[in-house]
Amino acid sequence: MTANLQAVAQLLEASLNPQTNKQAEIALAQEKQKAGFSLSLLQIVAAASFPNTTRLAGALYFKNFIKASWTDEEGNYKLPQNEVVAIKQELIGLMIAVPPAIQAQLGDAISVIAASDFWQRWDTLVDDLVSRLTADNPAVNNGVLQVAHSIFRRWRPLFRSDDLYTEINHVLGKFGSPFLSLLENTDRMIEHTKNDKASLHQNFSTLNLIVKLFYDLSSQDLPPIFEDNLPGITTLLHKYLTYDNSMLHGNEESESGPLEFVKAGIFEVLVLYVQKYEDAFGPFLAQFVDSSWNLLTNIGPETKYDIMVSKALQFLTAVARIQQHAQGFNDQNTLAQVVEKVILPNLSLRESDMELFEDEPIEFIRRDLEGSDSDTRRRAATDFLRQLMEQFEKLVTEVVFRYIDHYLSQYSENPNLNWKSKDTAVYLFSSVAAKGITTASQGVKSTNSFVDVVDFFQKNVANDLVSDNGVEPILKVDAIKYLYTFRSQMTKQQWHEAFPLLVKHLTSPNYVVYTYGAIAVERILYLTNEANEPIFGKADVLPLAKELLEHLFQLIEKETAPEKVQENEFLMKCAMRVLIIVKDGVVPITDSVLAHLINITEIISKNPSNPRFYYYHFEALGALIRFAAPTQPEKLETALYVPFAGVLQQDVQEFMPYVFQLFAALLEARPSASLSEYYTSLIPPIIMPSLWESKGNVPALVRLLSSIIPRGATNIAKDNQIEPILGIFQKLVSTKAHESHAFDLLEIIITSFPRTTLESYYVPMLQIMFTRLSSSKTEVFALRFVRFYHFMSARDDNGLGADFFIKIAEQVQDGYAARLLEYLFSISLIAQNSIFTQLYLSIILPETQKLARPLDRKTAVVSLTKTLTDSAAFVDKYRKGWNYTCEALLKLLENPPLPLATDDTIPDQDIDDLSFGVGFTQLNTCKKIPKDPWPEIGDVKLWVGQCLKAADRKYNRRISNIVKERLSPEMRQGLAVYMQVG
């Protein structure tokens, strides 16, 4: 074993220790620059002589290394070719040989590689996998299948495309037949080892992976090989849906085992086939419905069965969605049986639910919340009942209400003893009362026409919210959740009566009760009426704000460990919402709010562990800065510098994009102030190349630099920092991910520095842009280039303008110009036309019409108008260009840009989106407000006319003469309309 391998292993071990992980991460970052680092990691993962924790850390680091270092945005390898080849050669065999926990990490790495390379650049992979399948070694087979699943599962969420179907057909052509043979062989092996516990478990693990792969391979379309063998496949699926063997029974009531996972996987496959392939699968459906019913009516309440039960209910829900199959439930007695034997057992509280409520309250809340992705029995039973109600609303309502009345009566006989009956009744009512989709912003928008949700609340639920004593915490939660769910069904007056009751429950000693109180308060504060006006405005909340925020912060800071402080994101989201609602009403309590937020920042920066919590935390800070900084900027700058600088010094990468945004927001709160020492000291570190390596930092750093440069231009020039900043532009503009940010930065630079200061840089800037246009032009790049042209063309008062752009374009080296023209046009045009002519006619003018943002279109209108009125080149050198410019301007004015809206609504971030928390997440509370560079121009049509008339007078009727000589009658008439208005 080499000394270097041992050194890397020691660093991996150190990275697992909270006291040494920062230093270890820094050292590993240096190691990964060395050639062969990835292969060293694989050697460590493969070596049984290292502890499993070190091997697992190596696999995790390898996965993250591959994610960051496999290919660039163009799909080119970032690693040396020999290293790429070696990784592909070693990875499959290694994954088959390592323990399952390590397999999972290597499987993710294989998924990343496959997303880039499979199948064209890794066309031997499927053959390699098939060659490794065995007749009698489930351990090897499981490794092979795990690799296959890690690759093929990528297909599940993808949209149909020719490339995708080509890939799937490539796989099926090689893998389909061996896969079905393996299914049959695994069935025989299970039968053969039915009395051998260890071997049976291994073979069931194989079957579990086979079922997952069956879903993967069917996720886009029904494979012909599966359709041809559907009778045999469904026979085996049904066999294992009803299979039992005591050797597969676990001792734990809470831990699902291989039998439960296989059956849950089969139900997932059944849902897919009912939803997508019912025409082929329909003849085999009845047996699965019967077996599902038998399973659900005989299964116990143990939590180990939860995943299987929820998937079974999802299958019946899918069946009930199809009209012809739903008719089997269209009978009062049948529905009564469904409710009594399937719905109620899975809606009712179990001992395990109460244990979770008391011992892991935050987990209880996350599972229980409407919209959670948890596979709970309650949610699955509710979905099944609602689907039946969609088909037979009146009949289902009548049947269910018999049970609701029964449970309410049972509760009224002995409330202390029978409180669970009321919980069941309220849950049942909510299940049948809600219709359609429950939205995150409005809750239930549509209700069952046969029920009255407000009346039921007043008669059966409200008392639990009002009473201070003698009410079970679960019933308190039920009452709060009822209001949260049906919040859109209540009037503003009803809400003004109910809201103080919700706020009161924030003082409850019960974790779930006060958390649900916070959840409901936050959503009510977000609630709007049909006119998009908030139900509760600043005036309603301000009297409660100080006490409400203080209490929320006390709950958050009740414990001091970083993981406990950030455990409950719902409390922080509520605090954020209060700050958004009260707006500048926070100013009198700024000191208190600021102290709490700073304390929380310092605690959680030691170990960031909950992305949702710290997102809401930084949104709260953003709201405070937005509404308090304009009146007391020095206070906030001074107070926040220490915690924010601490984040940068400690290299808390999760927080950096947020901190850069907040630094920018603080500076933007003082638009007329000069650049203080506070920000001047930030310039050297933020223009260091290392900070720009993280993709998540880039948008935030561009915003911060864009806020600093206009105020600090003099010092930046004096300190020779222009070139490093332009170097950042060059780096960003070369990548598709950041090309737009590059132009944002460049436009600020050009706006902030005198033309003479940047004189020597304009030609190299255009050379870089022309290179991108010729080698790897994207739609975004083309549009940003066109916007950049108009940005310069419109600023003739700053020494720029169309003529200046033409001048520097013509100075671009012949090689760049020739390459661009050769790429865009035929060779014969090069000798005849200048580079600007071709750019203007083939890129700038056509792409101008595609500009969508109002400010971009407005800038284009100004640019084109000033070209017509003031450009000497377009009068003399590019005579036809004047006509084309006029035509483009008239097209733009057919759909003129409108003034910016003054809506100050702060939208919600979708934290359930797959991209949330990955890289950069924008803070909405302090989002940069678009600035109109032409605020003096209101009605653009009027302004265009005034400009044309003024230029006509200034240049002795030059505009009139050009119009008369060069324009067609239609264009003359179109332009005359604006000149008459002006």
Side-chain angles (χ1 to χ4, degrees):
M1 188 178 300
T2 66
N4 183 59
L5 207 63
Q6 188 66 45
V8 173
Q10 288 174 351
L11 290 174
L12 291 169
E13 287 181 39
S15 72
L16 303 173
N17 185 338
Q19 296 180 335
T20 58
N21 74 321
K22 282 292 181 187
Q23 300 92 316
E25 290 287 345
I26 293 170
L28 283 168
Q30 294 172 341
E31 286 290 328
K32 74 180 182 182
Q33 304 302 322
K34 299 177 182 178
F37 174 72
S38 63
L39 299 177
S40 297
L41 290 175
L42 290 182
Q43 286 180 274
I44 292 169
V45 172
S49 57
F50 289 115
N52 274 344
T53 52
T54 303
R55 297 171 70 193
L56 181 59
L60 179 62
Y61 205 94
F62 176 80
K63 175 187 75 173
N64 292 331
F65 177 81
I66 291 298
K67 283 182 177 179
S69 307
W70 188 251
T71 58
D72 60 21
E73 290 173 327
E74 307 294 335
N76 302 311
Y77 293 123
K78 296 166 74 173
L79 298 174
Q81 186 64 31
N82 64 333
E83 198 167 336
V84 169
V85 172
I87 288 171
K88 290 181 181 179
Q89 288 175 342
E90 298 296 327
L91 199 49
I92 305 303
L94 177 58
M95 182 165 169
I96 291 169
V98 296
I102 298 176
Q103 276 186 347
Q105 300 302 326
L106 294 181
D108 288 343
I110 290 172
S111 290
V112 173
I113 295 172
S116 161
D117 289 19
F118 187 72
W119 61 281
Q120 288 93 336
R121 295 198 296 189
W122 203 0
D123 59 357
T124 60
L125 175 61
V126 181
D127 291 324
D128 187 10
L129 292 175
V130 170
S131 71
R132 294 175 186 268
L133 291 172
T134 72
D136 57 1
N137 192 333
V140 171
N141 290 340
N142 289 349
V144 173
L145 296 177
Q146 190 68 56
V147 172
H149 177 52
S150 70
I151 298 168
F152 306 156
R153 69 186 177 195
R154 296 179 300 111
W155 301 336
R156 294 189 180 196
L158 299 180
F159 291 109
R160 178 172 185 155
S161 70
D162 291 343
D163 288 345
L164 175 61
Y165 274 57
T166 301
E167 179 180 321
I168 294 172
N169 288 333
H170 166 81
V171 170
L172 289 169
K174 295 173 179 288
F175 191 74
S177 184
F179 174 74
L180 289 182
S181 298
L182 181 64
L183 171 60
E184 294 171 355
N185 189 61
T186 302
D187 173 48
R188 288 192 293 270
M189 290 292 292
I190 289 172
E191 190 64 31
H192 181 68
T193 59
K194 63 183 178 182
N195 297 318
D196 180 346
K197 185 173 183 178
S199 298
L200 183 64
H201 273 253
Q202 274 199 319
N203 284 308
F204 247 78
S205 294
T206 305
L207 181 61
N208 187 33
L209 285 164
I210 287 173
V211 172
K212 289 180 179 179
L213 276 162
F214 188 79
Y215 191 110
D216 297 338
L217 296 167
S218 305
S219 60
Q220 288 290 328
D221 203 352
L222 178 57
I225 192 170
F226 289 177
E227 187 171 10
D228 293 343
N229 292 277
L230 210 50
I233 293 171
T234 55
T235 298
L236 285 177
L237 291 177
H238 187 259
K239 173 182 176 178
Y240 288 104
L241 194 66
T242 57
Y243 185 86
D244 195 20
N245 187 324
S246 59
M247 290 194 176
L248 295 170
H249 295 177
N251 296 323
E252 295 290 330
E253 291 189 358
S254 60
E255 293 294 327
S256 300
L259 188 61
E260 289 77 42
F261 285 126
V262 165
K263 292 186 178 185
I266 291 172
F267 277 123
E268 282 195 85
V269 167
L270 295 178
V271 170
L272 175 70
Y273 271 64
V274 167
Q275 290 175 338
K276 295 191 71 170
Y277 316 123
E278 195 270 337
D279 54 338
F281 182 64
F284 309 100
L285 183 59
Q287 60 183 335
F288 290 103
V289 174
D290 292 341
S291 297
S292 303
W293 176 262
N294 291 333
L295 183 148
L296 289 167
T297 54
N298 290 288
I299 204 75
E302 295 84 358
T303 54
K304 68 179 179 180
Y305 300 127
D306 284 4
I307 186 169
M308 181 173 65
V309 169
S310 64
K311 298 297 183 185
L313 286 165
Q314 289 170 20
F315 166 60
L316 290 181
T317 303
V319 172
R321 197 169 283 123
I322 301 171
Q323 184 67 35
Q324 67 187 77
H325 299 308
Q327 290 305 314
F329 299 103
N330 190 12
D331 174 79
Q332 192 170 67
N333 291 329
T334 303
L335 284 171
Q337 291 284 305
V338 169
V339 172
E340 192 165 317
K341 294 187 176 182
V342 175
I343 302 297
L344 288 172
N346 293 301
L347 274 183
S348 302
L349 279 173
R350 301 167 296 171
E351 282 303 312
S352 59
D353 296 322
M354 292 308 303
E355 289 172 6
L356 195 67
F357 183 92
E358 293 164 3
D359 300 336
E360 297 182 66
I362 193 67
E363 184 61 24
F364 176 91
I365 293 162
R366 287 178 182 147
R367 291 187 187 183
D368 186 58
L369 262 182
E370 186 78 37
S372 161
D373 59 0
S374 300
D375 286 320
T376 65
R377 293 193 186 207
R378 274 193 153 188
R379 177 156 303 105
T382 297
D383 291 343
F384 181 36
L385 185 58
R386 285 181 180 171
Q387 185 55 53
L388 291 173
M389 195 189 70
E390 287 289 323
Q391 300 283 12
F392 321 110
E393 184 172 330
K394 185 176 182 181
L395 184 58
V396 170
T397 305
E398 290 172 355
V399 170
V400 169
F401 253 83
R402 292 209 302 266
Y403 291 95
I404 292 172
D405 292 339
H406 164 75
Y407 283 112
L408 288 175
S409 175
Q410 207 173 55
Y411 169 75
S412 64
E413 290 170 7
N414 191 334
N416 291 329
L417 185 64
N418 297 331
W419 63 267
K420 286 185 180 180
S421 296
K422 184 171 184 180
D423 171 79
T424 302
V426 173
Y427 212 101
L428 258 183
F429 179 86
S430 297
S431 298
V432 296
K435 287 182 65 176
I437 297 172
T438 301
T439 67
S441 59
Q442 302 289 319
V444 171
K445 292 287 289 179
S446 177
T447 59
N448 184 335
S449 58
F450 298 102
V451 303
D452 185 334
V453 295
V454 175
D455 181 68
F456 185 85
F457 173 77
Q458 292 170 339
K459 290 179 179 176
N460 301 291
V461 182
N463 190 59
D464 294 333
L465 204 62
V466 174
S467 299
D468 292 324
N469 300 307
V471 178
E472 280 288 329
I474 281 279
L475 295 184
K476 288 277 188 189
V477 170
D478 287 344
I480 297 169
K481 189 180 176 186
Y482 189 98
L483 287 177
Y484 162 82
T485 302
F486 295 108
R487 55 189 179 272
S488 289
Q489 306 305 312
M490 296 177 63
T491 65
K492 183 170 183 176
Q493 181 58 42
Q494 288 168 336
W495 264 125
H496 277 271
E497 294 172 7
F499 188 73
L501 297 174
L502 290 177
V503 173
K504 184 184 72 172
H505 283 81
L506 291 173
T507 63
S508 168
N510 184 280
Y511 189 105
V512 180
V513 172
Y514 70 64
T515 301
Y516 251 112
I519 291 167
V521 166
E522 189 278 327
R523 286 291 84 184
I524 305 316
L525 293 181
Y526 189 73
L527 192 63
T528 58
N529 59 22
E530 292 180 356
N532 205 32
E533 299 165 338
I535 299 294
F536 285 88
K538 174 181 172 182
D540 301 308
V541 180
L542 197 54
L544 307 169
K546 181 178 181 181
E547 185 178 348
L548 185 53
L549 287 167
E550 186 65 31
H551 193 71
L552 286 166
F553 287 131
Q554 286 178 4
L555 291 172
I556 292 168
E557 298 168 284
K558 190 162 54 174
E559 297 190 50
T560 56
E563 62 274 11
K564 294 301 291 183
V565 168
Q566 60 194 304
E567 174 185 77
N568 194 329
E569 67 266 22
F570 306 107
L571 298 176
M572 183 52 76
K573 187 178 184 182
C574 187
M576 173 202 76
R577 186 67 56 201
V578 173
L579 290 169
I580 290 172
I581 291 294
V582 299
K583 295 184 169 61
D584 57 1
V586 73
V587 170
I589 57 172
T590 295
D591 290 348
S592 170
V593 174
L594 192 56
H596 285 296
L597 292 174
I598 287 172
N599 182 49
I600 293 167
T601 303
E602 291 174 340
I603 292 173
I604 66 175
S605 63
K606 296 173 185 174
N607 182 24
S609 58
N610 185 349
R612 295 184 179 194
F613 179 93
Y614 56 73
Y615 163 70
Y616 292 130
H617 168 68
F618 286 113
E619 284 283 25
L621 271 166
L624 182 66
I625 290 169
R626 174 172 176 169
F627 298 119
T631 57
Q632 39 194 333
E634 293 87 356
K635 175 186 288 186
L636 270 72
E637 286 180 356
T638 303
L640 289 171
Y641 186 83
V642 172
F644 287 179
V647 166
L648 303 184
Q649 289 163 5
Q650 296 162 32
D651 193 30
V652 187
Q653 294 185 11
E654 298 92 335
F655 290 3
M656 283 186 177
Y658 294 125
V659 166
F660 292 138
Q661 289 178 78
L662 294 173
F663 267 135
L666 279 168
L667 186 54
E668 290 157 5
R670 310 174 68 183
S672 60
S674 59
L675 197 67
S676 66
E677 184 62 31
Y678 180 92
Y679 287 100
T680 303
S681 65
L682 284 176
I683 298 175
I686 67 174
I687 63 175
M688 292 291 290
S690 57
L691 267 185
W692 296 82
E693 292 299 322
S694 171
K695 292 181 180 180
N697 286 346
V698 169
L701 282 169
V702 168
R703 178 180 175 186
L704 179 54
L705 260 183
S706 299
S707 301
I708 288 173
I709 289 171
R711 297 167 176 81
T714 303
N715 287 334
I716 289 170
K718 184 181 68 176
D719 295 338
N720 298 316
Q721 292 169 327
I722 292 177
E723 280 198 17
I725 294 173
L726 285 171
I728 293 168
F729 159 77
Q730 183 174 2
K731 176 182 173 65
L732 298 183
V733 83
S734 67
T735 65
K736 293 176 183 177
H738 301 310
E739 55 197 13
S740 189
H741 302 301
F743 280 105
D744 288 341
L745 182 60
L746 184 59
E747 288 172 7
I748 285 292
I749 293 169
I750 290 174
T751 304
S752 304
F753 293 98
R755 194 187 92 177
T756 52
T757 303
L758 299 175
E759 196 79 51
S760 61
Y761 301 113
Y762 280 110
V763 170
M765 284 180 208
L766 283 192
Q767 286 178 339
I768 292 167
M769 295 181 203
F770 290 175
T771 301
R772 270 298 308 272
L773 282 171
S774 65
S775 61
S776 55
K777 183 183 75 168
T778 64
E779 181 71 15
V780 171
F781 185 89
L783 286 173
R784 285 310 306 258
F785 174 77
V786 169
R787 170 178 146 172
F788 173 73
Y789 166 78
H790 289 305
F791 164 85
M792 289 192 65
S793 170
R795 283 167 171 75
D796 55 351
D797 53 338
N798 290 349
L800 303 176
D803 289 353
F804 177 71
F805 186 94
I806 293 168
K807 175 185 171 185
I808 58 173
E810 300 298 353
Q811 290 176 27
V812 172
Q813 295 174 13
D814 291 342
Y816 283 91
R819 192 188 316 161
L820 176 63
L821 292 172
E822 185 176 350
Y823 175 76
L824 294 173
F825 317 106
S826 64
I827 298 294
S828 61
L829 288 174
I830 295 178
Q832 302 172 20
N833 296 298
S834 72
I835 186 171
F836 178 75
T837 301
Q838 298 305 328
L839 278 174
Y840 197 68
L841 296 180
S842 298
I843 295 180
I844 293 172
L845 289 182
E847 296 292 327
T848 292
Q849 304 303 325
K850 299 178 185 177
L851 294 173
R853 297 193 300 184
L855 289 181
D856 293 350
R857 293 178 69 82
K858 187 174 186 179
T859 298
V861 167
V862 175
S863 160
L864 297 176
T865 303
K866 289 191 174 184
T867 298
L868 296 178
T869 58
D870 298 317
S871 169
F874 274 81
V875 171
D876 301 323
K877 186 175 181 180
Y878 303 109
R879 295 172 61 84
K880 289 184 178 179
W882 204 97
N883 302 24
Y884 297 134
T885 301
C886 185
E887 183 180 9
L889 176 61
L890 291 175
K891 283 183 182 177
L892 271 183
L893 292 175
E894 289 173 7
N895 182 23
L898 300 173
L900 284 177
T902 56
D903 182 11
D904 64 351
T905 301
I906 297 174
D908 260 4
Q909 180 74 255
D910 182 7
I911 62 168
D912 294 316
D913 185 270
L914 290 176
S915 63
F916 172 76
V918 179
F920 175 75
T921 302
Q922 182 172 265
L923 294 175
N924 287 324
T925 51
C926 60
K927 185 164 61 174
K928 188 172 184 178
I929 299 170
K931 186 178 179 182
D932 187 349
W934 323 102
E936 71 280 5
I937 301 175
D939 185 333
V940 292
K941 291 183 176 181
L942 179 64
W943 178 85
V944 168
Q946 290 172 340
C947 263
L948 291 169
K949 288 175 71 174
D952 201 39
R953 290 192 296 269
K954 179 179 178 181
Y955 297 114
N956 194 27
R957 295 186 56 78
R958 184 173 76 184
I959 303 293
S960 297
N961 293 332
I962 293 174
V963 169
K964 184 177 179 181
E965 294 169 6
R966 303 183 190 176
L967 297 189
S968 66
E970 293 80 10
M971 287 178 62
R972 285 202 298 269
Q973 185 177 357
L975 202 61
V977 171
Y978 301 109
M979 293 186 72
Q980 289 168 6
V981 172

